[in-house]
Amino acid sequence: MKGVRMRDFSIGEAGLVGFRLTRERPRAIAVWCGLNLVFSFVSLLVLVGIGGPALNTLQATTESTAAQDPAATMALFNQLLPAYGLFVLIWLAFSAVMAAAASRAVLHPQDETLGYVRFGADELRVLAVLVVVGVILFFAYMGASVASGLVLAIVMGVTGGAGGAAGATGLMLVMIPLVMLGILWLWTRFSLAVPMTLARGRVDVFGSWALTKGRSGKVFLTYLAAFALYLLVAMLGLAISLGVGAAISGGDGPLEAMMRPDMSSIGAYFTPAMIANTIVMAVIGGLGSAIVLCPPAVIYAALAGEQLHEVF
């Protein structure tokens, strides 16, 4: 609109909002850490309790062994389907609760009861948004993969021989990053759907598309900065976890124990070192929720303010 200054958002403000929230709302972060801990323990109880023996066998299976007996390997994966199916449902519910809480912390900072965590209609709407966006991204990825496969087949068919294989390999090295960038771009365009849905009180998936038009690069850079900060925090958490594990186990291979735990039973899995690791990583998960999940709400608040200013 002529004469109206177009509003924008700051990458620094949006990218660092998680750290500001951690400093200003430590009780909320503590609740998020506790929720991450509950999610971690429940998920492990499901995965180890239902699929533990199969996971333990798969850990000991080498590539050569799997190639020699693919039917046995497939049977192990089939045994894991109930555990993974239940885990996905738990993860979706947890993700919806955390995404709604993070958006609520930014959009309604005064409503801090229970660390902005709720279990109501807002969370159900956010869950619907996550599922719809996930389905869109899945089919976009599948469509791009099929199209890439067709292009590669045509190139090999036209060029033929060793030259065709070499050309297809080179083309694949170009197409794979392009497909991944395309999916990231698509995800960026839909990334404001959660705070928009929470703010409007109704499921709104495609409104994010209009708000991010012409700004997808800046939005993506904001998320990239936030993710880089999260990686630093996660690496610090991993170092602390390894130190605690070494102290508990007497320095006897804490990294190997974490990477290849005994999943034969729940009792075998939950050693003191693994319990300590789960607690430390839950804290990192709570901090990570603030760092990664809050920026979209800051961006939405700025861009929606621009839109409302134009309307009114």
Side-chain angles (χ1 to χ4, degrees):
M1 180 182 294
K2 189 175 181 180
V4 177
R5 184 173 63 88
M6 298 293 287
R7 294 184 61 183
D8 204 350
F9 68 93
S10 164
I11 291 179
E13 181 182 355
L16 295 173
V17 65
F19 289 97
R20 190 180 77 238
L21 182 68
T22 301
R23 183 181 69 251
E24 297 177 357
R25 308 285 180 177
R27 287 182 297 180
I29 301 302
V31 172
W32 295 4
C33 292
L35 193 59
N36 270 269
L37 183 61
V38 171
F39 167 71
S40 296
F41 275 119
V42 171
S43 299
L44 289 169
L45 287 173
V46 168
L47 291 173
V48 178
I50 299 176
L55 284 170
N56 225 33
T57 305
L58 278 175
Q59 279 189 149
T61 302
T62 63
E63 291 186 10
S64 59
T65 304
Q68 291 172 4
D69 195 353
T73 304
M74 186 57 64
L76 289 173
F77 280 114
N78 289 336
Q79 292 176 32
L80 292 173
L81 288 179
Y84 279 130
L86 185 55
F87 168 75
V88 168
L89 294 178
I90 296 171
W91 174 77
L92 281 173
F94 169 75
S95 298
V97 170
M98 288 306 306
S103 294
R104 191 176 289 115
V106 174
L107 300 176
H108 308 291
Q110 73 285 352
D111 191 14
E112 194 182 355
T113 306
L114 296 177
Y116 304 103
V117 173
R118 304 288 186 274
F119 302 94
D122 282 337
E123 284 65 30
L124 290 176
R125 285 188 284 266
V126 170
L127 176 61
V129 168
L130 295 179
V131 171
V132 171
V133 172
V135 169
I136 291 173
L137 293 178
F138 173 77
F139 279 106
Y141 174 75
M142 293 300 295
S145 298
V146 170
S148 300
L150 290 175
V151 171
L152 291 173
I154 292 172
V155 169
M156 292 187 68
V158 171
T159 55
T169 300
L171 186 60
M172 184 171 62
L173 292 175
V174 174
M175 294 182 69
I176 290 177
L178 287 178
V179 168
M180 298 310 298
L181 286 173
I183 297 300
L184 286 173
W185 173 81
L186 192 60
W187 166 75
T188 300
R189 296 299 303 272
F190 285 115
S191 63
L192 305 186
V194 167
M196 180 175 289
T197 293
L198 190 76
R200 297 183 176 183
R202 58 181 174 83
V203 174
D204 193 337
V205 174
F206 297 98
S208 174
W209 193 269
L211 281 181
T212 55
K213 183 179 180 181
R215 303 181 177 93
S216 56
K218 188 174 182 180
V219 172
F220 178 73
L221 286 177
T222 302
Y223 297 156
L224 186 62
F227 183 69
L229 293 171
Y230 166 70
L231 284 181
L232 292 176
V233 174
M235 287 189 290
L236 175 61
L238 179 60
I240 294 173
S241 181
L242 289 173
V244 172
I248 293 175
S249 62
D252 187 20
L255 180 59
E256 183 179 355
M258 286 196 316
M259 297 302 294
R260 298 178 66 88
D262 184 355
M263 294 186 175
S264 58
S265 68
I266 293 175
Y269 180 88
F270 283 114
T271 62
M274 289 306 296
I275 292 174
N277 173 67
T278 302
I279 293 173
V280 171
M281 298 315 293
V283 173
I284 299 304
L287 295 172
S289 297
I291 295 170
V292 175
L293 297 180
C294 289
V298 176
I299 297 171
Y300 166 76
L303 299 185
E306 169 193 328
Q307 192 176 61
L308 290 173
H309 183 63
E310 290 179 354
V311 172
F312 293 102

